[in-house]
mmCIF file of all heavy atoms in Angstrom:
data_model
loop_
_atom_site.group_PDB
_atom_site.id
_atom_site.type_symbol
_atom_site.label_atom_id
_atom_site.label_comp_id
_atom_site.label_asym_id
_atom_site.label_seq_id
_atom_site.Cartn_x
_atom_site.Cartn_y
_atom_site.Cartn_z
ATOM 1 N N VAL V 232 26.791 80.402 118.125
ATOM 2 C CA VAL V 232 28.161 79.892 117.997
ATOM 3 C C VAL V 232 28.610 79.845 116.511
ATOM 4 O O VAL V 232 27.917 79.240 115.634
ATOM 5 C CB VAL V 232 28.323 78.634 118.580
ATOM 6 C CG1 VAL V 232 29.860 78.084 118.482
ATOM 7 C CG2 VAL V 232 28.014 78.600 120.145
ATOM 8 N N THR V 233 29.651 80.536 116.179
ATOM 9 C CA THR V 233 30.242 80.537 114.922
ATOM 10 C C THR V 233 31.743 79.927 115.071
ATOM 11 O O THR V 233 32.368 80.466 115.846
ATOM 12 C CB THR V 233 30.384 81.904 114.390
ATOM 13 O OG1 THR V 233 29.008 82.413 114.136
ATOM 14 C CG2 THR V 233 31.017 81.919 112.783
ATOM 15 N N VAL V 234 31.938 78.897 114.260
ATOM 16 C CA VAL V 234 33.303 78.300 114.366
ATOM 17 C C VAL V 234 34.084 78.622 113.013
ATOM 18 O O VAL V 234 33.450 78.380 111.863
ATOM 19 C CB VAL V 234 33.226 76.715 114.528
ATOM 20 C CG1 VAL V 234 34.673 76.083 114.439
ATOM 21 C CG2 VAL V 234 32.454 76.510 115.728
ATOM 22 N N VAL V 235 35.318 79.083 113.139
ATOM 23 C CA VAL V 235 36.172 79.472 112.046
ATOM 24 C C VAL V 235 37.337 78.453 111.991
ATOM 25 O O VAL V 235 38.037 78.325 113.028
ATOM 26 C CB VAL V 235 36.699 80.933 112.088
ATOM 27 C CG1 VAL V 235 37.471 81.246 111.014
ATOM 28 C CG2 VAL V 235 35.489 81.938 112.170
ATOM 29 N N GLU V 236 37.529 77.803 111.006
ATOM 30 C CA GLU V 236 38.591 76.882 110.921
ATOM 31 C C GLU V 236 39.351 76.964 109.607
ATOM 32 O O GLU V 236 38.753 77.000 108.475
ATOM 33 C CB GLU V 236 37.969 75.460 110.956
ATOM 34 C CG GLU V 236 39.024 74.270 110.617
ATOM 35 C CD GLU V 236 40.211 74.326 111.569
ATOM 36 O OE1 GLU V 236 40.097 74.218 112.850
ATOM 37 O OE2 GLU V 236 41.415 74.214 110.976
ATOM 38 N N MET V 237 40.661 77.013 109.583
ATOM 39 C CA MET V 237 41.572 77.238 108.276
ATOM 40 C C MET V 237 41.337 75.953 107.483
ATOM 41 O O MET V 237 41.541 76.116 106.250
ATOM 42 C CB MET V 237 43.014 77.330 108.698
ATOM 43 C CG MET V 237 43.237 78.653 109.455
ATOM 44 S SD MET V 237 44.981 78.952 109.723
ATOM 45 C CE MET V 237 45.654 78.935 107.933
ATOM 46 N N LEU V 238 41.295 74.762 107.979
ATOM 47 C CA LEU V 238 41.146 73.466 107.228
ATOM 48 C C LEU V 238 39.740 73.300 106.661
ATOM 49 O O LEU V 238 38.804 74.225 106.862
ATOM 50 C CB LEU V 238 41.619 72.350 107.967
ATOM 51 C CG LEU V 238 43.057 72.418 108.547
ATOM 52 C CD1 LEU V 238 43.401 71.216 109.366
ATOM 53 C CD2 LEU V 238 43.992 72.660 107.431
ATOM 54 N N ASP V 239 39.463 72.099 105.965
ATOM 55 C CA ASP V 239 38.213 71.956 105.250
ATOM 56 C C ASP V 239 37.169 71.147 106.012
ATOM 57 O O ASP V 239 36.144 70.864 105.489
ATOM 58 C CB ASP V 239 38.373 71.373 103.912
ATOM 59 C CG ASP V 239 39.165 70.139 103.961
ATOM 60 O OD1 ASP V 239 39.372 69.625 105.098
ATOM 61 O OD2 ASP V 239 39.411 69.578 102.875
ATOM 62 N N ASP V 240 37.490 70.901 107.264
ATOM 63 C CA ASP V 240 36.557 70.117 108.125
ATOM 64 C C ASP V 240 36.795 70.141 109.641
ATOM 65 O O ASP V 240 37.977 70.628 109.868
ATOM 66 C CB ASP V 240 36.378 68.651 107.626
ATOM 67 C CG ASP V 240 34.932 68.102 107.968
ATOM 68 O OD1 ASP V 240 34.281 68.691 108.839
ATOM 69 O OD2 ASP V 240 34.681 66.964 107.638
ATOM 70 N N VAL V 241 36.088 69.671 110.484
ATOM 71 C CA VAL V 241 36.273 69.694 111.767
ATOM 72 C C VAL V 241 37.258 68.493 112.231
ATOM 73 O O VAL V 241 37.478 67.580 111.443
ATOM 74 C CB VAL V 241 35.019 69.498 112.663
ATOM 75 C CG1 VAL V 241 34.010 70.672 112.356
ATOM 76 C CG2 VAL V 241 34.362 68.135 112.468
ATOM 77 N N LEU V 242 37.806 68.610 113.282
ATOM 78 C CA LEU V 242 38.676 67.472 113.877
ATOM 79 C C LEU V 242 39.684 66.887 112.921
ATOM 80 O O LEU V 242 39.627 65.782 112.531
ATOM 81 C CB LEU V 242 37.729 66.393 114.429
ATOM 82 C CG LEU V 242 36.682 66.816 115.396
ATOM 83 C CD1 LEU V 242 35.665 65.757 115.681
ATOM 84 C CD2 LEU V 242 37.393 67.088 116.788
ATOM 85 N N PRO V 243 40.698 67.704 112.486
ATOM 86 C CA PRO V 243 41.692 67.285 111.672
ATOM 87 C C PRO V 243 42.430 66.154 112.350
ATOM 88 O O PRO V 243 42.728 66.168 113.441
ATOM 89 C CB PRO V 243 42.613 68.488 111.507
ATOM 90 C CG PRO V 243 42.230 69.362 112.593
ATOM 91 C CD PRO V 243 40.781 69.126 112.906
ATOM 92 N N GLY V 244 42.723 65.155 111.538
ATOM 93 C CA GLY V 244 43.292 64.001 112.032
ATOM 94 C C GLY V 244 42.481 62.712 112.227
ATOM 95 O O GLY V 244 42.857 61.629 112.361
ATOM 96 N N TYR V 245 41.245 63.119 112.218
ATOM 97 C CA TYR V 245 40.099 61.969 112.246
ATOM 98 C C TYR V 245 39.587 61.663 110.896
ATOM 99 O O TYR V 245 39.498 62.546 110.095
ATOM 100 C CB TYR V 245 39.049 62.316 113.220
ATOM 101 C CG TYR V 245 39.453 62.360 114.737
ATOM 102 C CD1 TYR V 245 40.068 63.455 115.348
ATOM 103 C CD2 TYR V 245 39.395 61.143 115.443
ATOM 104 C CE1 TYR V 245 40.440 63.405 116.590
ATOM 105 C CE2 TYR V 245 39.710 61.116 116.681
ATOM 106 C CZ TYR V 245 40.400 62.177 117.386
ATOM 107 O OH TYR V 245 40.641 62.234 118.683
ATOM 108 N N GLU V 246 39.104 60.376 110.756
ATOM 109 C CA GLU V 246 38.662 59.935 109.574
ATOM 110 C C GLU V 246 37.420 60.715 109.044
ATOM 111 O O GLU V 246 36.667 61.255 109.986
ATOM 112 C CB GLU V 246 38.392 58.478 109.498
ATOM 113 C CG GLU V 246 39.628 57.643 109.502
ATOM 114 C CD GLU V 246 39.433 56.214 109.460
ATOM 115 O OE1 GLU V 246 38.818 55.658 110.468
ATOM 116 O OE2 GLU V 246 39.663 55.527 108.564
#
Side-chain angles (χ1 to χ4, degrees):
V232 180
T233 300
V234 177
V235 176
E236 169 57 54
M237 292 185 65
L238 301 180
D239 58 3
D240 205 349
V241 303
L242 300 169
Y245 287 88
E246 292 179 295

